[in-house]
Amino acid sequence: MSVIKVKVPASSANIGPGFDSIGMALNLYNIFSFEEIDRGLEIIGSLEDKKAKDHLVYSSMVKVFERVGYFPKGIKIKIEASIPISRGLGSSASCILAGVIGANKMAGSPLTQEEIFKIATEIEGHPDNIAPALFGGFVSSLMEGEKIYYNKIDISKGLKFIAIIPDFTLSTRRAREVLPRVISHREAVENVSRLALLISALSNGRFDLLRPALKDKLHQPYRGELIEGFTALMDKIYDLGALGGYLSGAGPTIMAMIKEEDFGFIKEIKAYLESISLGWDVKELEMDLEGAQIVEKP
């Protein structure tokens, strides 16, 4: 059988006040190759330190095979990873989507894109990374019982996204453990207001509103405490001219939004990180509008 190649973009979820409800795809990719072989399971370039059968890509494939009644003799998976693991950039979502898409293609493509979305969300547990990684762009999503709603939102041009990636990981489980079980009515209203302002500002190009719109009461104050120097770094990105900044997903990556014509920010933020002896990575990214793709050979 021929090799199936799937390209999945990174994703940045929450985006300030949009906890578990919004996310966007970014032009940083993991590429997965799938091949049916005579027997066994082979995984090359694994993203996880787990037994092969427990690997997230393979276990996601199994979900599809069970759903559609396809039983391959054996599977070979090759992973070319560029998305950092456990950094709040959707590495897990990329593995899940690749497994679901690859298995569906191997089985003769019986699933629709909507069915792929539903299965992948069931595996992940929430759609805020899955939706943008699959559909591309900036996406809002909602789970209501067994139903999943989503909508792509057009964002005005003129922004670049600078991922400031720490040299340590932060598990989603730990990042969720620090969140409060109950918040006040006032804090809930404030977050809803900021989310509405954020979406309207991005849609209308009112980038001057991003700083107040990106503030959050639900997760950033608590998760920020897990990241040494978080508050100082957030203050610094604004000192250097960023339009906005937020904790990407569960963290620890911090995302800065800057003007498209701002060519000095990256140099200055790198110099700052070096001055405080932080060997963090800095990547200039743009929004990916296509989402996950099966890469066709020429």
Side-chain angles (χ1 to χ4, degrees):
M1 180 176 286
S2 60
V3 175
I4 299 163
K5 187 173 284 191
V6 181
K7 179 181 177 184
V8 186
S11 52
S12 178
N14 298 330
I15 311 180
F19 182 66
D20 278 5
S21 63
I22 58 174
M24 64 177 170
L26 297 165
N27 64 336
L28 182 66
Y29 304 95
N30 283 347
I31 299 174
F32 305 80
S33 299
F34 303 94
E35 185 178 2
E36 186 169 350
I37 56 180
D38 290 336
R39 66 172 69 86
L41 172 61
E42 183 181 354
I43 301 178
I44 302 170
S46 175
L47 284 167
E48 298 179 302
D49 185 19
K50 291 184 177 181
K51 293 180 180 179
K53 289 187 177 180
D54 296 326
H55 195 284
L56 190 53
V57 178
Y58 178 70
S59 61
S60 300
M61 297 184 79
V62 170
K63 291 281 187 183
V64 174
F65 293 146
E66 291 174 347
R67 188 76 59 95
V68 303
Y70 185 80
F71 306 100
K73 298 175 183 177
I75 299 290
K76 181 178 179 180
I77 303 169
K78 181 181 178 183
I79 304 169
E80 302 168 61
S82 296
I83 304 172
I85 303 170
S86 297
R87 300 299 207 286
L89 290 169
S91 174
S92 294
S94 78
C95 290
I96 292 168
L97 268 177
V100 172
I101 293 169
N104 180 56
K105 180 71 172 178
M106 191 174 289
S109 302
L111 300 176
T112 65
Q113 192 178 48
E114 296 295 325
E115 289 171 325
I116 287 171
F117 178 46
K118 189 172 188 300
I119 293 171
T121 300
E122 288 172 359
I123 298 169
E124 176 84 325
H126 46 88
D128 52 333
N129 284 100
I130 294 292
L134 178 59
F135 301 114
F138 189 101
V139 188
S140 61
S141 56
L142 164 69
M143 291 185 72
E144 187 178 71
E146 295 186 357
K147 292 184 178 180
I148 312 169
Y149 302 95
Y150 72 94
N151 188 40
K152 290 185 70 170
I153 301 168
D154 291 333
I155 302 301
S156 292
K157 295 180 179 180
L159 288 178
K160 290 189 294 190
F161 303 93
I162 309 302
I164 305 167
I165 307 169
D167 55 0
F168 58 87
T169 62
L170 180 59
S171 72
T172 301
R173 176 181 293 181
R174 186 184 178 203
R176 285 194 178 272
E177 286 174 350
V178 300
L179 301 181
R181 292 181 177 272
V182 179
I183 62 167
S184 69
H185 184 270
R186 181 177 179 178
E187 288 173 323
V189 171
E190 184 176 326
N191 253 63
V192 169
S193 301
R194 292 187 190 280
L195 179 56
L197 183 63
L198 174 63
I199 292 175
S200 64
L202 288 171
S203 298
N204 299 335
R206 286 293 308 275
F207 301 147
D208 58 304
L209 297 175
L210 289 177
R211 184 168 185 171
L214 284 166
K215 291 181 180 179
D216 166 76
K217 294 289 187 180
L218 296 184
H219 73 109
Q220 288 190 164
Y222 310 99
R223 289 170 168 173
E225 292 181 359
L226 301 175
I227 305 166
E228 186 176 354
F230 173 75
T231 301
L233 183 52
M234 289 294 288
D235 290 341
K236 189 64 179 181
I237 67 174
Y238 285 115
D239 289 345
L240 296 178
L243 297 167
Y246 66 91
L247 189 63
S248 183
T253 292
I254 295 168
M255 194 72 69
M257 296 180 174
I258 66 173
K259 294 178 182 178
E260 204 169 46
E261 63 271 20
D262 185 345
F263 298 106
F265 181 88
I266 287 185
K267 182 179 179 180
E268 291 175 330
I269 197 64
K270 284 182 176 179
Y272 170 73
L273 292 171
E274 186 176 343
S275 73
I276 57 174
S277 301
L278 289 182
W280 295 8
D281 194 14
V282 179
K283 292 186 181 294
E284 179 180 320
L285 303 171
E286 297 178 0
M287 194 177 299
D288 171 281
L289 299 177
E290 300 297 325
Q293 301 284 319
I294 293 177
V295 181
E296 301 291 347
K297 293 183 178 180

